[in-house]
Amino acid sequence: MKVTALFLCGLALATASPSWEHFKAQHGRKYVDAEEELFRQRVFQKNEQFIEDFNKKFERGEVTFNVAMNQFGDMTNEEFNAVMKGYKMGSRDEPKAVFTAKEGLPMAADVDWRTKGAVTPVKDQGQCGSCWAFSTTGSLEGQHFLKYGELVSLSEQQLVDCAGGIYFNQGCNGGWDKTCRFNANSIGATLVSHVDIAQGSETGLQQALSSVGPISVAIDASHFSFQFYHDGVYYEPNCSSTNLDHAVLAVGYGSEGSQDYWLVKNSWASTWGLQGYIKMARNRSNHCGVASAASYPTV
């Protein structure tokens, strides 16, 4: 029985599709044994079918974005959600300052802080639920640049290792805290406080993005469509504006045809999405909660 099972497993792997072999080679995948590889191959094939079916909807004009295979192709959505996020919802402290939308405030038709030099290259959090650290450094990098004219890439690892104690941080679990190696002689940027955007206000978020700089935001990124997003304006009917699980960085906004979008920097390397970015639906009832927990530091 065991010999037969191993033979069948070996046979299935021997007849693997070219796309599976390409995926393994492209991403350097090696598995502990034949059983694990067969399981991952089946997950990959299921994800491959989802991508094919979804893109047929895109071709028919039924959805506003397409999807593509990426480095998460051998992960189930449950595994993906368990290790690739890290934003922990909780009650927000009473803010010291709140940015509220101001009537009649002039705003640019489109904004992209990358073109102004305020955004560092896309980073990769790996399989560590530390998205909160990348969202935090991104907004501080932007404010530091706008005040001092110097773009400094800050250390997310330091936040994962050191932001424990009173911050109740759990590192890779949304920090496990490793040894904090903070060195006061190598500080890259400092902040004074932070400002929250009025909860749920897309107008407030747009005004802040137009006048302040990149903004830390939290979103619902739990869906297969987000896991494999590739291009277009992301609109997911099942997205929640309250159940948020991923922290990212809003770096601009604009329109694509008749569709308004937020330009958002992710932390899953440039192999995901639009070279590491996503265009998320804007002015569609706070889609995916992009304006539900937005803030920026003051320096």
Side-chain angles (χ1 to χ4, degrees):
M1 185 75 171
K2 185 175 182 181
V3 172
T4 302
L6 287 173
F7 172 78
L8 291 174
C9 180
L11 180 62
L13 292 175
T15 56
S17 67
S19 60
W20 169 241
E21 296 300 330
H22 174 74
F23 172 83
K24 289 192 297 177
Q26 182 181 16
H27 300 290
R29 291 293 197 270
K30 296 185 184 300
Y31 302 101
V32 293
D33 54 31
E35 185 178 2
E36 171 68 9
E37 181 164 350
L38 179 58
F39 173 76
R40 292 300 162 192
Q41 179 185 336
R42 288 172 173 168
V43 170
F44 174 85
Q45 290 169 338
K46 181 179 178 182
N47 290 338
E48 195 173 42
Q49 188 63 55
F50 164 79
I51 290 168
E52 181 181 339
D53 293 343
F54 193 94
N55 285 340
K56 287 178 181 177
K57 295 180 182 179
F58 178 74
E59 292 168 4
R60 295 193 295 264
E62 297 173 9
V63 292
T64 57
F65 64 100
N66 60 25
V67 291
M69 184 56 67
N70 57 31
Q71 67 266 39
F72 307 123
D74 61 350
M75 298 175 69
T76 67
N77 189 241
E78 292 75 19
E79 290 172 323
F80 173 79
N81 285 326
V83 300
M84 293 309 303
K85 310 296 182 58
Y87 177 80
K88 301 290 187 181
M89 289 185 61
S91 58
R92 300 177 82 182
D93 294 336
E94 191 66 30
K96 295 180 179 179
V98 177
F99 185 103
T100 56
K102 300 168 182 62
E103 189 173 348
L105 184 71
M107 290 182 288
D110 57 81
V111 167
D112 184 347
W113 285 103
R114 297 176 300 180
T115 64
K116 304 176 190 299
V119 183
T120 57
V122 171
K123 302 178 183 182
D124 185 4
Q125 70 183 72
Q127 291 191 12
C128 169
S130 55
C131 61
W132 57 274
F134 290 81
S135 178
T136 299
T137 58
S139 56
L140 182 54
E141 287 166 350
Q143 290 305 302
H144 181 83
F145 169 80
L146 292 170
K147 183 171 183 177
Y148 298 106
E150 180 185 19
L151 184 62
V152 178
S153 183
L154 299 174
S155 172
E156 295 78 22
Q157 187 67 54
Q158 181 182 313
L159 294 182
V160 170
D161 293 346
C162 301
I166 62 171
Y167 299 103
F168 302 103
N169 167 35
Q170 296 177 318
C172 280
N173 188 27
W176 62 66
D177 290 294
K178 299 181 181 178
T179 302
C180 180
R181 295 186 293 273
F182 169 71
N183 184 343
N185 295 320
S186 60
I187 292 174
T190 59
L191 62 89
V192 177
S193 187
H194 75 279
V195 177
D196 288 345
I197 312 299
Q199 192 168 11
S201 173
E202 288 196 81
T203 302
L205 178 56
Q206 184 179 359
Q207 289 183 357
L209 264 172
S210 180
S211 61
V212 175
I215 306 293
S216 293
V217 298
I219 58 173
D220 172 13
S222 63
H223 307 278
F224 261 126
S225 58
F226 198 95
Q227 182 173 341
F228 295 107
Y229 168 82
H230 178 60
D231 195 4
V233 177
Y234 184 80
Y235 179 78
E236 167 58 64
N238 296 315
C239 225
S240 173
S241 61
T242 55
N243 295 323
L244 315 179
D245 64 355
H246 191 45
V248 286
L249 184 71
V251 302
Y253 60 83
S255 299
E256 192 169 272
S258 61
Q259 302 173 77
D260 296 337
Y261 66 81
W262 302 106
L263 180 61
V264 174
K265 180 186 181 185
N266 203 349
S267 52
W268 296 339
S270 59
T271 49
W272 178 88
L274 279 166
Q275 291 78 52
Y277 287 82
I278 182 172
K279 295 176 179 177
M280 301 192 68
R282 177 168 63 93
N283 296 329
R284 297 197 69 171
S285 302
N286 187 25
H287 189 58
C288 294
V290 68
S292 293
S295 63
Y296 62 90
T298 55
V299 299

